[in-house]
Amino acid sequence: MSAGGIRPSQPFPDAARETLQDAQMRRNLRHATTTIREKRLQAVAELPYWEDLRTQGAAIKDVVLDNLAEHLLTLEASVKRLGGHVHWAQNAEEAQRLVADLVAAHGVSEVIKVKSISTDEIELNAALEARGIHATETDLAELIVQLAEDRPSHILVPAIHKNRAEIRELFRRKLGAQLLTDDPKVLAEAARVYLREKFLATKVAISGANFAIADTGTVCIVESEGNGRMCLTLPEVLISVMGIEKVLPTWPDIAPFMQLLPRSSTAERMNPYTSFWSGVTPGDGPQEFHLILLDNGRTDVLADAVGRETLRCIRCSACLNVCPVYERTGGHAYGSVYPGPIGAILTPQLLQLDDANANSLPWASSLCGACYDACPVKINIPEILIYLRGQITPHKTPNVESIAMKTAAWIFNESYRFEGAIKLARTGQGPLVQHGAVRALPGMLGGWTSSRNLPPFPPQSFRELWRKEEQREQ
Amino acid sequence: MKIDLFITCLNDALFPQTGLAMARLLRRLGHTVRFNEAQTCCGQMHFNTGYQAEALPLIRKFVQDFQDAEVIVAPSGSCVAFVRDLYPKAAEWAGDEALLAQVRELGKRTFELSEFLVNVLGIEDVGASYPHRVTYHPTCHAARLLRVGDAPLRLLRNVRGLSLVELPASDQCCGFGGTFSVKNPETSTAMLADKVQNVMGTRAEVCTAGDNSCLMHIGGGLSRLQSGTGVVHLAEILASVESGNTDVLDTARVSAEGLV
Ligand code: SF4
């Protein structure tokens, strides 16, 4: 079951506590993210105009978002003109039903899929299974995750948390492949043999979309393995599920993204396979094409003047690879198909800031800012994290933290109160100080002292020392 | 130049020697320094944790406390970044146009110590002496929001007797992140563990940075492991001179020992 949805089953700190225990996963993740981080820096450094490209990418996306409805209507008209069908899905259930009905109408019980995070978002595989339709993932990493009955932990490298030995064992068990080594080539060949048969025998394919161009009605998929190309050309029927923010106004608008996306995601100058298709062409490729435009909370994100920047995202995953929190906790801790920094802002917003578990995600960041530097469309993730924290906090029921914060604000409002509080803390800290350091704090501050000492309050504050110093000067 | 010290609440309460070192250093360089005792906290902790309604009065208070300052200098990249970068956002999100204009103007006059010395005053050698093996941790907010670049390193390279050793993976966050370290203690600790390993690997006597919040975190981890490496704020190193100023060396020792 690779389709995981976007509703976390527990708050981030609890989920992270579990995933942090997995030392093997942490090693795998560290290795993968460090490698890709370095490669990305090199790939980006090759383009002296990288910063301009980022600005351009962000600007195009903003133009789209400012007039989203209009661009979508143009896209719909173009796709229809070229013989395709367009459907609008307001939420996950509607999208699931649309896809399942289309598949059922062709009387098949098997479909193949190209890696598509939007179908994971709507938990399509499970919904199809419930209607007796089995979906096979054809992206190698997605296939691994599916066979392992696991969830993806990265948007680009869903099996990033697994190593080769684990994969070899999985293929042996699930595909009956007798593999002599865990050489990546051998592993890939085993998957290829299994998938080739699926490609040739399956009538209906389901894909996502990286971009769709409104004025030409062209849909685009960018991938590295060629499985996408197979899915997009061999079957008779193609159903593509696309988040509404993926539309671009005109054909030339895609140019900067063809540079931004591969360099940011796989650190390649160009990705191996880019497929474009416009409606249907008699005698060539699928003869029936359906485009499903998925909202699922996006218009609410769009309505928020600060949060809407989130919808610029092109799902390159650069922010995940540079994130120190993601590197330690892994994708599963985020409890959504959108992990890492982008997940921390996108997931709670897609759920209208209404899901208590998802609402813990904006705090899953040290605000170090590495994601903002890496993002090819300049989404100011740290700023949106802070903004969302400010949207969520006032609606929480009062607790120890909120009382402490309100008291602290009251103290900071007058310098005499602040000075008094320091003096009070100094006298009150007595029992907590051992050998010159605070080693164990009570209550919610205990997390700090579980691994760190704290300096005690010194005998004098700055303002007290300053007064003495000034007297000495005079 | 007339300089207003922005000490920050954390330094005022827990690291007074840092503020004192900064004041002495700026005086030594021939400037007039002033400390407006009305100041308390810039509001960063509240704003960044989600208490934006509580942060706004603190932001307004900061504007008032520093309204007639010529320049404002602080020993904290994080608090300066907050004033310069997020005060305008706070004003925007609150829809307060008047405040927005005020904070935009204020931000231009507010500097972190190392960028003030190198970029504003054009000084790279402050005449300091500090005969120790030192490694430098660039804090995230100074590096990514303020873009102080190599200003702190330039200053450190000119300190007599100081041997600067490079910190591996220095650009990685130490895991402090303000209330992040309390709300996600396990994740924060996992990040800290790597930072502490890297610091210890340098065999430096002292790890320095431009922010006592990050140093408190790193120093707290170092001291828990009884590593023998202390943490000292950059301002204290820059304020140290060969003779006569034992205070600063003392405070350096205090901040290292106080944590052990
Ligand atoms: S937020 Fe930016 S960096 Fe992260 S996946 Fe989206 S486009 Fe890439």
Side-chain angles (χ1 to χ4, degrees):
Chain A
M1 287 308 101
S2 75
I6 51 173
R7 250 174 228 286
S9 61
Q10 52 183 337
F12 183 83
D14 297 340
R17 197 168 298 125
E18 284 170 22
T19 58
L20 280 163
Q21 307 295 327
D22 189 344
Q24 180 64 50
M25 176 216 70
R26 265 169 79 182
R27 272 194 295 277
N28 296 350
L29 259 180
R30 153 151 332 166
H31 175 71
T33 55
T34 317
T35 315
I36 197 163
R37 226 164 25 218
E38 281 157 17
K39 275 178 66 189
R40 188 192 70 90
L41 282 177
Q42 283 169 17
V44 161
E46 282 178 2
L47 298 185
Y49 50 89
W50 181 254
E51 287 308 311
D52 296 338
L53 216 50
R54 285 177 79 206
T55 309
Q56 205 188 343
I60 294 171
K61 279 289 189 175
D62 281 348
V63 165
V64 169
L65 297 177
D66 285 345
N67 263 312
L68 189 59
E70 184 196 307
H71 299 303
L72 286 170
L73 290 172
T74 310
L75 175 67
E76 179 183 36
S78 302
V79 171
K80 283 185 173 162
R81 193 177 63 234
L82 296 164
H85 306 271
V86 177
H87 315 261
W88 300 75
Q90 229 195 332
N91 51 38
E93 294 71 40
E94 267 183 44
Q96 290 169 350
R97 197 171 49 240
L98 276 163
V99 177
D101 287 350
L102 286 168
V103 176
H106 287 86
V108 297
S109 58
E110 284 269 340
V111 296
I112 47 174
K113 279 181 71 200
V114 200
K115 176 173 66 176
S116 148
I117 198 164
S118 54
T119 61
D120 284 351
E121 175 187 324
I122 61 170
E123 300 177 77
L124 182 63
N125 290 10
L128 290 178
E129 208 69 57
R131 299 259 306 251
I133 302 160
H134 180 71
T136 302
E137 296 289 348
T138 64
D139 171 87
L140 179 54
E142 280 278 351
L143 176 66
I144 292 166
V145 170
Q146 187 179 35
L147 292 174
E149 296 176 31
D150 196 352
R151 288 171 297 139
S153 70
H154 188 284
I155 53 183
L156 200 84
V157 206
I160 195 169
H161 57 299
K162 296 218 176 291
N163 66 20
R164 286 191 259 154
E166 293 171 288
I167 295 166
R168 177 189 177 191
E169 170 57 22
L170 180 70
F171 282 5
R172 194 189 59 71
R173 241 179 336 110
K174 290 292 177 103
L175 304 183
Q178 292 311 321
L179 305 173
L180 294 175
T181 71
D182 59 10
D183 180 344
K185 274 210 200 89
V186 172
L187 296 176
E189 185 55 31
R192 188 172 295 131
V193 168
Y194 170 74
L195 287 173
R196 182 74 32 123
E197 200 189 314
K198 297 272 179 196
F199 288 133
L200 294 170
T202 314
K203 261 172 70 177
V204 178
I206 298 168
S207 86
N210 286 91
F211 305 98
I213 298 152
D215 70 344
T216 59
T218 307
V219 184
C220 168
I221 281 257
V222 173
E223 40 108 17
S224 312
E225 294 170 13
N227 64 305
R229 178 73 46 97
M230 303 282 259
C231 286
L232 300 166
T233 52
L234 291 176
E236 292 164 23
V237 181
L238 174 60
I239 305 168
S240 302
V241 182
M242 167 189 132
I244 51 173
E245 79 282 17
K246 295 288 176 76
V247 64
L248 295 173
T250 66
W251 179 254
D253 290 325
I254 204 166
F257 298 105
M258 288 293 121
Q259 301 184 70
L260 288 167
L261 184 55
R263 282 179 204 261
S264 301
S265 57
T266 45
E268 291 166 304
R269 296 183 183 120
M270 213 183 143
N271 48 283
Y273 298 90
T274 302
S275 306
F276 290 105
W277 69 99
S278 309
V280 290
T281 308
D284 182 13
Q287 293 301 294
E288 195 178 316
F289 169 56
H290 297 269
L291 180 62
I292 296 177
L293 298 171
L294 176 70
D295 185 328
N296 208 26
R298 285 165 176 77
T299 44
D300 292 295
V301 184
L302 188 72
D304 188 299
V306 181
R308 72 152 52 168
E309 201 174 300
T310 312
L311 297 180
R312 281 188 203 151
C313 177
I314 56 172
R315 311 280 190 262
C316 73
S317 74
C319 57
L320 278 65
N321 299 326
V322 299
C323 177
V325 172
Y326 175 85
E327 185 184 322
R328 275 40 174 229
T329 64
H332 292 166
Y334 295 80
S336 156
V337 296
Y338 301 109
I342 181 62
I345 59 172
L346 182 59
T347 302
Q349 289 190 88
L350 286 179
L351 296 169
Q352 282 86 42
L353 302 185
D354 223 19
D355 183 288
N357 293 339
N359 280 356
S360 69
L361 290 170
W363 282 270
S365 164
S366 65
L367 304 177
C368 80
C371 50
Y372 181 30
D373 274 6
C375 178
V377 285
K378 286 189 166 178
I379 301 175
N380 194 334
I381 297 175
E383 190 181 291
I384 297 174
L385 287 167
I386 295 170
Y387 171 76
L388 294 176
R389 293 175 184 187
Q391 299 295 107
I392 294 165
T393 301
H395 303 288
K396 287 187 184 164
T397 40
N399 55 20
V400 184
E401 179 197 283
S402 65
I403 294 163
M405 289 300 252
K406 283 178 186 174
T407 313
W410 178 80
I411 290 169
F412 285 141
N413 270 319
E414 294 287 353
S415 60
Y416 71 87
R417 283 185 206 145
F418 180 45
E419 188 168 349
I422 297 175
K423 284 182 183 156
L424 207 65
R426 196 188 293 150
T427 27
Q429 72 181 350
L432 293 174
V433 183
Q434 291 168 5
H435 309 292
V438 178
R439 283 148 201 277
L441 282 173
M444 64 171 189
L445 297 173
W448 172 282
T449 43
S450 64
S451 64
R452 291 148 286 206
N453 293 342
L454 257 188
F457 285 90
Q460 282 169 314
S461 64
F462 174 80
R463 58 188 68 229
E464 290 168 286
L465 283 175
W466 176 258
R467 276 178 217 133
K468 280 195 197 140
E469 175 116 337
E470 289 300 90
Q471 272 163 14
R472 231 190 312 167
E473 292 277 312
Q474 276 150 22
Chain B
M1 201 179 285
K2 279 220 287 285
I3 298 167
D4 260 62
L5 304 175
F6 162 31
I7 291 301
T8 80
C9 61
L10 184 84
N11 284 310
D12 193 351
L14 283 176
F15 306 98
Q17 75 279 7
T18 299
L20 223 50
M22 180 173 77
R24 286 180 189 164
L25 170 67
L26 293 170
R27 274 190 179 144
R28 193 171 83 210
L29 297 172
H31 302 281
T32 313
V33 295
R34 188 173 76 136
F35 174 68
N36 179 0
E37 282 201 30
Q39 67 182 269
T40 56
C41 167
C42 63
Q44 173 168 214
M45 176 179 77
H46 286 90
F47 197 79
N48 283 359
T49 313
Y51 295 87
Q52 289 161 16
E54 285 74 16
L56 267 179
L58 296 176
I59 293 172
R60 294 208 173 88
K61 174 170 161 45
F62 187 95
V63 171
Q64 199 187 357
D65 292 343
F66 289 95
Q67 61 186 350
D68 48 42
E70 200 178 312
V71 287
I72 303 157
V73 180
S76 164
S78 185
C79 301
V80 169
F82 183 64
V83 169
R84 216 188 282 168
D85 250 48
L86 276 153
Y87 270 20
K89 289 293 157 190
E92 250 174 57
W93 297 347
D96 190 334
E97 287 292 323
L99 184 64
L100 180 61
Q102 281 176 315
V103 295
R104 277 204 178 129
E105 201 275 322
L106 186 84
K108 293 183 195 139
R109 292 182 280 135
T110 312
F111 302 95
E112 179 273 336
L113 179 64
S114 71
E115 60 165 2
F116 178 70
L117 294 171
V118 175
N119 302 340
V120 181
L121 298 180
I123 302 176
E124 293 186 9
D125 185 347
V126 295
S129 169
Y130 195 79
H132 296 282
R133 188 178 165 90
V134 175
T135 193
Y136 170 74
H137 164 65
T139 60
C140 298
H141 288 177
R144 299 210 182 84
L145 292 173
L146 295 180
R147 306 266 175 217
V148 300
D150 62 354
L153 292 172
R154 285 170 185 232
L155 291 160
L156 285 170
R157 283 193 200 109
N158 284 309
V159 175
R160 320 282 178 271
L162 186 146
S163 83
L164 188 63
V165 278
E166 202 185 311
L167 179 64
S170 64
D171 64 338
Q172 293 285 302
C173 177
C174 71
F176 174 62
T179 44
F180 169 73
S181 56
V182 176
K183 289 169 98 73
N184 285 284
E186 292 87 358
T187 310
S188 167
T189 297
M191 290 158 74
L192 174 65
D194 293 335
K195 182 57 76 180
V196 165
Q197 282 307 322
N198 284 327
V199 171
M200 296 196 323
T202 66
R203 290 180 295 110
E205 295 161 73
V206 163
C207 173
T208 191
D211 250 297
N212 271 329
S213 47
C214 310
L215 284 179
M216 174 173 79
H217 177 70
I218 297 170
L222 284 168
S223 104
R224 185 56 67 90
L225 294 176
Q226 305 193 315
S227 70
T229 303
V231 291
V232 176
H233 192 283
L234 180 70
E236 292 167 52
I237 292 180
L238 299 179
S240 298
V241 285
E242 247 159 66
S243 57
N245 191 353
T246 51
D247 292 14
V248 172
L249 286 172
D250 271 352
T251 54
R253 219 171 40 236
V254 168
S255 68
E257 273 173 8
L259 291 168
V260 174

